[in-house]
Amino acid sequence: MSETGAAIWVVVPTYNEAENIRPLTAAILAALADATILVVDDSSPDGTGGIADELAEADPRIRVRHRTAKQGLGRAYLDGFSVALAGGAAIVVQMDADFSHDPTALRPLVGPIERAEADLVIGSRYTRGGGVVDWGLGRRLISRSGSLFARIVLGLSPNDLTGGFKAWRGTTLAAIPFDGIHAGGYVFQIETTFRASRAGARIREVPITFQDRRVGQSKMSRRIIVEAFVVVVRLRLEELTRRWRERRQPT
């Protein structure tokens, strides 16, 4: 349990993270000793799932969810969220497995929820005190412009909408209709924040420094960028269409 007695689950999707999973789980538990870590592995060919099983056998705070195929980051998170909520999680943290999200930032991330100040906390690269390191100009522009585009089109207030380091109040996360989420890649981050915001969630940003992955290759691709554009526009069109239909219904 956390300092306020809330059960914290940290959901970590993995695919080919064999070099990272041991030090990452150790670092997470050093920051949140009472947390439960759920590794969601998409049948990594490098043996990540097997290493996670070994860690789980040695430490009851670590659990593993094996998936039969690689189905996208968003689907892995939704699967992990469902397991965490069914396990009684009061706070659910989502983070990458490649150390781009610093485990030492976990306590500040969950703090606003523990203090009943927020329902969703975003680890933000683009709020005062946040930043990125080891990124080229091109990737910086793509990330910043993606968040700005989503903010304008969807009318959202957070500065960092594409980041995946977040803490959720369990009840807030449970209220999101998982079946209605159609994003499979990084735009999943935008879509879940959008749905939480429209449901009235109190959203806060805390500054983080994002560092490019220590080992392995980035999973960013042109397909992911195109998907983000398409889904953001689709979300707005769906919302406008729904409002138009509601106005046309007889009172």
Side-chain angles (χ1 to χ4, degrees):
M1 295 292 178
S2 70
E3 293 175 358
T4 58
I8 301 174
W9 283 57
V10 181
V11 179
V12 184
T14 57
Y15 186 78
N16 287 346
E17 299 289 357
E19 296 179 72
N20 287 320
I21 195 62
R22 290 185 188 276
L24 179 71
T25 52
I28 292 173
L29 293 175
L32 295 175
D34 48 5
T36 297
I37 301 173
L38 177 62
V39 177
V40 182
D41 186 66
D42 277 4
S43 296
S44 298
D46 71 348
T48 301
I51 297 172
D53 284 336
E54 294 175 8
L55 295 170
E57 290 178 5
D59 193 326
R61 295 173 294 178
I62 301 174
R63 306 186 189 188
V64 187
R65 176 78 163 181
H66 292 282
R67 286 153 49 87
T68 57
K70 188 177 181 182
Q71 301 173 32
L73 182 66
R75 298 303 165 194
Y77 269 127
L78 291 177
D79 198 354
F81 290 166
S82 296
V83 173
L85 292 171
I91 298 174
V92 179
V93 176
Q94 58 176 90
M95 66 185 297
D96 291 346
D98 57 11
F99 279 97
S100 56
H101 299 150
D102 186 355
T104 63
L106 283 166
R107 180 56 67 187
L109 192 73
V110 302
I113 298 179
E114 292 179 319
R115 296 189 297 270
E117 298 171 354
D119 304 305
L120 167 60
V121 182
I122 299 173
S124 177
R125 299 160 292 183
Y126 307 133
T127 195
R128 183 183 298 274
V132 297
V133 294
D134 299 329
W135 271 14
L137 178 60
R139 190 169 179 187
R140 289 173 185 264
L141 287 174
I142 290 171
S143 178
R144 289 299 294 262
S145 60
S147 284
L148 180 60
F149 176 75
R151 286 185 70 197
I152 293 172
V153 173
L154 299 177
L156 297 172
S157 59
N159 296 291
D160 192 344
L161 292 171
T162 59
F165 197 17
K166 300 178 181 177
W168 294 84
R169 185 179 303 282
T171 52
T172 299
L173 185 59
I176 294 176
F178 290 176
D179 290 342
I181 294 179
H182 43 58
Y186 284 86
V187 72
F188 169 83
Q189 313 299 355
I190 300 173
E191 186 172 358
T192 51
T193 299
F194 166 78
R195 295 191 183 279
S197 175
R198 290 302 192 265
R202 298 169 298 166
I203 303 175
R204 283 193 54 182
E205 291 182 280
V206 296
I208 64 165
T209 298
F210 183 96
Q211 183 170 350
D212 207 8
R213 58 181 301 123
R214 291 184 179 181
V215 297
Q217 296 181 343
S218 171
K219 299 177 176 65
M220 179 63 70
S221 68
R222 181 177 298 178
R223 180 191 62 79
I224 290 172
I225 297 170
V226 172
E227 179 193 45
F229 174 83
V230 170
V231 172
V232 166
V233 172
R234 184 185 302 170
L235 287 171
R236 184 56 176 162
L237 289 176
E238 288 175 351
E239 184 175 52
L240 291 174
T241 300
R242 184 171 59 253
R243 290 178 180 176
W244 178 77
R245 289 175 177 171
E246 290 172 352
R247 286 197 298 266
R248 286 179 59 86
Q249 290 180 352
T251 57

